């Protein structure tokens, strides 16, 4: 007799979280404006810009694979002359080797360093690098590449196409949804937070964000910034709850297995602190029920480790027995040495 599978409660998602349907061919390619196109299979996004005599490709996610080139060829037969890497992660540039070898690769210098260390032939280090900014002017199109510091990943850069008010920033903004797990798997949470404000400094109407199946707007950035500030406030509350949850954890699981003790404490503090965030944002963003507690936990650790926020977490406070044994400051010490 077949074993019955457990029922999984799948939370509803707001209608505003969804974009256009992906056609049966497995990818969607649409013009954003003025020769700027985006490509998606529903989970990842990349882009390309058609110039007078060539094409600038931006990223090449393995989930799309060779469909990136096919999407370009749906639009134009002009040669791919330049390739821009948003950042070094394989899930966004892991099939960049589909582009011609003589196409000039461009990326921030941190991306060059990391790709050189990794030595992945599918992600050749860039030929042209920049520290803070780089302007690519080619065939009547202008792309401004701007680095505002570490965020989701070292080297993760803005790609601004000012003529058409299009902005690309990958793995930071998730239109219609909360960020992915662990605050988008970010390497630097303070920088991730700052990049909401950095994004709004650009003149743009439409945003290509690297994930999911719809484009973003300025309002999406403002909305996610509000959500992330709520997560930061919840994480601060989780810090304040830690003393109570520490005692609860000790009573529930003891302290012999300190990992279980820590996890029980962290989970309880994060879950309680995140509950108001979940209630507020459930009608507005997809994925709140799934990741808000996780986001609160990650932000809790960032507040402790990156920002040195109080109250400080004391994992093993003295017990009453220890207080009595050490009350005179002398018990347990050999005064002959």
């Amino acid at each position: 007799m077949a074993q019955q599978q457990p029922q999984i409660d799948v939370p509803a998602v707001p209608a505003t979280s969804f974009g256009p349907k992906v056609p049966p061919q497995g990818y969607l390619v649409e013009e954003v404006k003025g020769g700027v196109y985006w490509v998606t299979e529903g989970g990842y996004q990349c882009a390309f810009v058609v110039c007078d005599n060539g094409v600038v490709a931006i990223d090449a996610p393995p989930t799309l694979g060779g469909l990136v080139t096919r999407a370009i060829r749906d639009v134009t037969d002009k040669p791919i002359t330049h390739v821009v890497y948003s950042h070094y992660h394989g899930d966004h540039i892991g099939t960049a080797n589909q582009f011609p070898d003589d196409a000039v690769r461009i990326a921030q210098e941190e991306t060059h360093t990391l790709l050189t260390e990794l030595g992945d032939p599918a992600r050749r280090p860039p030929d042209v690098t920049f520290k803070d900014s780089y302007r690519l002017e080619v065939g009547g199109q202008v792309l401004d590449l701007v680095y505002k510091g570490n965020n989701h990943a070292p080297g993760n850069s803005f790609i601004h196409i000012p003529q058409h008010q299009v902005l690309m920033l990958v793995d930071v903004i998730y239109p219609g949804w909360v960020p992915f797990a662990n605050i988008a798997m970010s390497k630097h949470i303070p920088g991730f937070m700052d990049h909401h404000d950095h994004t709004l400094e650009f003149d743009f109407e439409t945003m290509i964000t690297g994930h999911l199946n719809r484009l973003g707007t300025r309002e999406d950035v403002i909305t996610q910034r509000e959500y992330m500030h709520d997560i930061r406030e919840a994480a601060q509350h989780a810090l304040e709850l830690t003393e109570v949850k520490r005692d609860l954890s000790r009573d529930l699981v003891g302290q012999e297995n300190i990992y279980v003790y820590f996890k029980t404490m962290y989970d309880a503090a994060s879950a309680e602190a995140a509950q108001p965030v979940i209630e507020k944002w459930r009608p507005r963003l997809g994925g709140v029920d799934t990741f808000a507690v996780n986001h609160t936990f990650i932000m809790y650790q960032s507040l402790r480790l990156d920002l040195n926020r109080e109250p400080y977490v004391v994992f093993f406070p003295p017990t009453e027995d220890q207080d009595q044994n050490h009350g005179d400051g002398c018990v347990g010490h050999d005064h002959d040495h």
Side-chain angles (χ1 to χ4, degrees):
M1 184 176 180
Q3 188 174 8
Q4 188 174 5
Q5 296 296 318
Q7 293 293 315
I8 299 176
D9 182 22
V10 179
V13 176
T16 52
S17 300
F18 298 105
K21 290 187 178 298
V22 176
Q25 65 190 14
Y27 65 96
L28 173 74
V29 55
E30 287 185 337
E31 185 173 22
V32 180
K33 189 178 179 182
V36 181
Y37 291 80
W38 73 303
V39 187
T40 182
E41 44 44 283
Y44 280 80
Q45 303 173 6
C46 60
F48 62 93
V49 181
V50 179
C51 310
D52 289 344
N53 299 306
V55 174
V56 179
I58 308 172
D59 286 357
T63 56
L64 279 157
L67 295 177
V68 178
T69 298
R70 184 186 298 182
I72 294 171
R73 292 293 162 246
D74 287 347
V75 173
T76 179
D77 60 0
K78 294 176 181 179
I80 299 167
T81 58
H82 297 78
V83 178
V84 174
Y85 297 158
S86 62
H87 63 305
Y88 79 97
H89 281 162
D91 66 325
H92 287 279
I93 65 166
T95 55
N97 58 338
Q98 71 186 274
F99 301 130
D101 288 343
D102 60 355
V104 178
R105 270 72 168 166
I106 307 169
Q108 204 274 339
E109 58 188 28
E110 293 277 3
T111 300
H112 184 283
T113 298
L114 290 161
L115 290 178
T116 300
E117 290 175 357
L118 292 166
D120 179 2
R123 293 177 287 165
R124 193 181 88 201
D127 308 296
V128 175
T129 63
F130 64 95
K131 182 178 180 182
D132 299 318
S133 64
Y134 179 83
R135 170 162 281 197
L136 174 63
E137 298 185 58
V138 55
Q141 299 281 18
V142 176
L143 287 79
D144 285 325
L145 313 183
V146 180
Y147 185 56
K148 295 280 190 176
N150 198 355
N151 54 93
H152 162 74
N156 193 34
S157 301
F158 291 96
I159 302 156
H160 187 216
I161 307 167
Q163 296 159 287
H164 309 304
Q165 294 180 291
V166 176
L167 180 66
M168 185 168 179
L169 175 67
V170 172
D171 281 333
V172 176
I173 306 300
Y174 290 73
W177 297 77
V178 302
F180 189 63
N182 296 348
I183 308 185
M185 311 301 289
S186 293
K187 306 295 184 184
H188 189 54
I189 303 301
F192 179 92
M193 294 294 289
D194 290 343
H195 270 59
H196 293 77
D197 292 322
H198 295 327
T199 299
L200 294 170
E201 293 169 1
F202 288 89
D203 177 22
F204 75 97
E205 292 180 350
T206 307
M207 190 171 185
I208 302 168
T209 61
H211 278 288
L212 307 173
N213 71 328
R214 82 165 173 85
L215 296 168
T217 65
R218 297 185 73 85
E219 188 59 37
D220 287 316
V221 180
I222 293 167
T223 297
Q224 184 176 297
R225 180 176 63 173
E226 182 184 349
Y227 169 78
M228 289 306 307
H229 279 265
D230 285 350
I231 287 292
R232 188 159 61 186
E233 290 180 10
Q236 179 63 44
H237 183 44
L239 276 177
E240 294 158 2
L241 287 170
T242 300
E243 182 176 352
V244 174
K245 301 306 181 184
R246 177 192 65 206
D247 295 341
L248 171 69
S249 179
R250 184 189 61 223
D251 294 342
L252 284 174
V253 301
Q255 293 176 313
E256 182 175 353
N257 187 326
I258 59 172
Y259 281 4
V260 174
Y261 165 67
F262 287 160
K263 185 177 187 302
T264 303
M265 176 192 71
Y266 286 142
D267 287 352
S270 299
E272 181 173 330
Q275 195 55 43
V277 180
I278 295 171
E279 295 299 326
K280 173 181 175 179
W281 286 97
R282 184 182 284 128
R284 296 177 62 186
L285 293 175
V288 175
D289 297 88
T290 306
F291 286 136
V293 174
N294 167 267
H295 292 163
T296 302
F297 167 74
I298 297 297
M299 186 67 75
Y300 172 112
Q301 301 304 330
S302 177
L303 293 182
R304 290 181 54 230
L305 305 177
D306 297 321
L307 302 182
N308 195 31
R309 285 281 186 89
E310 296 184 22
Y312 298 131
V313 177
V314 178
F315 294 109
F316 300 111
T319 64
E320 291 183 5
D321 290 343
Q322 289 172 323
D323 285 339
Q324 292 172 1
N325 289 339
H326 294 81
D328 59 2
C330 298
V331 177
H333 295 278
D334 185 347
H335 293 285
D336 292 332
H337 297 282

